[in-house]
Amino acid sequence: MGSATGEVKAGERIGRYTVVRRLAVGGMAEVYLARHEGPKGFSKLVVIKRVLPGLQQTEKFSAMFLDEGRLAARLAHPGIAQTFELGEHEGGFFLVMEYVAGESLTRVVRRAATDHKPMRPASLLRVPILLLEALDYAHELKGDRGEWLKVVHRDVSPTNVVLTYHGGVKLLDFGIARAAIHEHRTQVGTVKGKGGYMSPEQATAGPVDHRTDLYTVGSLLYLLVTGVGPFDAEPDVFAMMQ
C-alpha cells in the first residue's frame, strides 16, 4: 500500500516489484526505481512508471498511458530503453521499463561546463549519430500487418537522452510520442514537448511528422558544441517558443 499522499515508500511493492526509491514525479505520472527479486538470489533493477494516484480514475490520462504502453511494447532497439510489462496495481496502470545506468545529457553538459572540459569531438558526434539510428528505427516502425506506424517521439530533449556508463546512448520516454496506433490521439492545437528544443511546427501546435525529431537532434548537437541550448537566452518557455 502507498502512503496517505499516494507516494510509494521504499520497501513497499507495486505489483511484484519492490520499490527502492522514487526517481521523479511529473504532471501525469511518477517514476520509481524498483527491484525484481526471484529464487536463488535473483535480483534485477527496473524502472516503474505509473499514473499519479489522483489521475488513475481519469479516463483521459489512463487512455494516454495505455497508448504509451502499447507503443513502447513494440520498440526493440539497443538505442531505446526497453519496456517489459504493462501492469495494474491498486486500480491504476504501471509500466515496467529498463533501468539504464548512466547520466542524462543534461548532467553531462553541466558537468563539462563546471569542469571546463568540453566533450571530445569524437564523443560529441557519437551522441547524435546513435540518436539518429534509434530514431530512424522508430520512424520506420511497422505494425503487425506491415502498416507504417508513423511514430514521432516529440520530446528528444537532454533529460530524455542518457549516456550509459558502457559508452552507449539510450533514448528514454515515448510518453508523448504520437503514432497511428494511438487510440487517444493528440489534437492539432495542443503543444507537448520542451520549449527550447521543439521545431517551429511543434511549438506552434501545428501538424508534425518525423522531421520534428530530426530538428530536435540538431538542437542537441548545438547544445553539445556550445554548452548552451539554442534558446537558453530567452527569459521563459513562451519566449523560446515564439
Side-chain angles (χ1 to χ4, degrees):
M1 297 291 290
S3 68
T5 61
E7 180 181 350
V8 183
K9 300 298 185 181
E12 297 178 341
R13 296 176 73 86
I14 298 177
R16 58 197 174 105
Y17 303 91
T18 303
V19 169
V20 176
R21 66 178 183 274
R22 186 159 77 170
L23 297 174
V25 59
M28 186 180 83
E30 55 188 349
V31 180
Y32 292 90
L33 179 65
R35 191 179 301 277
H36 180 206
E37 297 173 328
K40 304 294 184 181
F42 174 85
S43 180
K44 181 180 179 65
L45 287 174
V46 297
V47 171
I48 292 182
K49 181 176 183 179
R50 72 167 193 162
V51 177
L52 286 170
L55 301 175
Q56 287 175 357
Q57 305 304 320
T58 306
E59 184 177 349
K60 174 184 176 181
F61 289 103
S62 292
M64 291 170 64
F65 198 77
L66 290 172
D67 278 347
E68 178 182 353
R70 293 186 189 100
L71 174 59
R74 294 176 175 269
L75 299 168
H77 186 276
I80 297 173
Q82 190 174 357
T83 295
F84 302 125
E85 179 185 348
L86 172 64
E88 192 170 0
H89 176 72
E90 295 185 351
F93 298 108
F94 66 90
L95 291 173
V96 182
M97 301 178 292
E98 175 185 4
Y99 168 65
V100 180
E103 301 282 351
S104 72
L105 191 57
T106 299
R107 295 186 64 178
V108 170
V109 170
R110 285 176 180 170
R111 185 179 297 116
T114 301
D115 297 343
H116 303 288
K117 292 181 179 179
M119 294 178 67
R120 292 175 295 145
S123 299
L124 185 152
L125 290 173
R126 178 177 170 80
V127 175
I129 288 171
L130 293 179
L131 270 180
L132 289 170
E133 290 179 357
L135 285 168
D136 182 64
Y137 163 82
H139 293 160
E140 297 297 324
L141 192 66
K142 301 293 194 301
D144 295 335
R145 296 184 296 273
E147 72 278 19
W148 183 31
L149 295 181
K150 302 180 181 178
V151 175
V152 185
H153 188 286
R154 299 195 301 163
D155 195 17
V156 188
S157 54
T159 55
N160 282 335
V161 177
V162 172
L163 278 59
T164 75
Y165 295 135
H166 300 291
V169 176
K170 288 271 190 180
L171 178 59
L172 310 182
D173 201 357
F174 276 74
I176 65 167
R178 191 210 57 159
I181 62 170
H182 279 186
E183 295 177 5
H184 190 88
R185 304 298 180 89
T186 299
Q187 300 295 319
V188 173
T190 302
V191 177
K192 293 190 175 186
K194 294 181 177 66
Y197 295 91
M198 290 190 288
S199 68
E201 293 80 7
Q202 188 174 347
T204 54
V208 298
D209 58 27
H210 65 283
R211 290 172 292 182
T212 198
D213 288 342
L214 304 184
Y215 178 97
T216 304
V217 174
S219 297
L220 293 182
L221 180 57
Y222 183 101
L223 172 68
L224 288 166
V225 171
T226 65
V228 296
F231 300 103
D232 281 359
E234 300 296 342
D236 55 49
V237 67
F238 299 104
M240 287 181 184
M241 292 166 67
Q242 185 64 36

